[in-house]
Amino acid sequence: MDKLIEIQKEICNKYGLKFEPCDLNLKVGITLDIKEKSKFFPIHALRHPAQGDTTGWYIWAGDYSDDDDFYKPLHASHLEDFCPLIIPFLGLAAGSRVLIAENGNYVDVWEDLKLLEI
């Protein structure tokens, strides 16, 4: 666990963004078909401020949808099975976006302060 936090802090430093720990016992919003879709489409992730029992992270691959049931709640600890490529980026603070493509060979991280508006 300490190694993971170290890796997450290094990523934050690399992109000049703040570190905000992600409690793996809390939930993310994720599309459950991400395992299959991430083989063909980039992984998208964004972080809103954490609320209640959520981390603020929302993760998907393929086309985005505004449908109410687009995301499903999943404890962050299960991301190892669903989307392991995103785990090193979970320490990015609210207001961050991530795009991972080509099985992790292409990564873009940026700040999107609109995500902080509630």
Side-chain angles (χ1 to χ4, degrees):
M1 185 64 127
D2 290 337
K3 182 69 173 165
L4 176 58
I5 290 174
E6 202 175 296
I7 291 168
Q8 291 175 345
K9 285 182 177 179
E10 286 174 13
I11 286 174
C12 291
N13 288 336
K14 177 179 180 178
Y15 294 100
L17 298 173
K18 293 179 186 171
F19 173 73
E20 185 179 317
C22 177
D23 185 339
L24 297 181
N25 295 310
L26 297 180
K27 296 173 188 164
V28 300
I30 191 167
T31 56
L32 297 181
D33 61 357
I34 195 163
K35 237 189 227 187
E36 290 305 313
K37 283 192 171 182
S38 65
K39 293 175 184 173
F40 307 104
F41 300 101
I43 297 166
H44 299 269
L46 56 84
R47 192 173 194 184
H48 289 283
Q51 291 185 351
D53 66 347
T54 71
T55 63
W57 279 106
Y58 291 87
I59 306 160
W60 75 98
D63 293 331
Y64 177 78
S65 171
D66 284 329
D67 291 347
D68 289 341
D69 64 348
F70 183 62
Y71 295 111
K72 302 295 183 203
L74 181 77
H75 284 98
S77 60
H78 296 293
L79 285 172
E80 186 66 42
D81 296 326
F82 283 85
C83 189
L85 286 174
I86 198 64
I87 294 172
F89 299 89
L90 295 179
L92 292 165
S96 299
R97 286 185 176 262
V98 179
L99 175 72
I100 302 171
E102 300 171 15
N103 202 30
N105 291 317
Y106 175 84
V107 176
D108 193 8
V109 175
W110 68 100
E111 191 171 51
D112 182 352
L113 298 180
K114 290 181 184 175
L115 297 173
L116 301 177
E117 300 170 6
I118 296 177

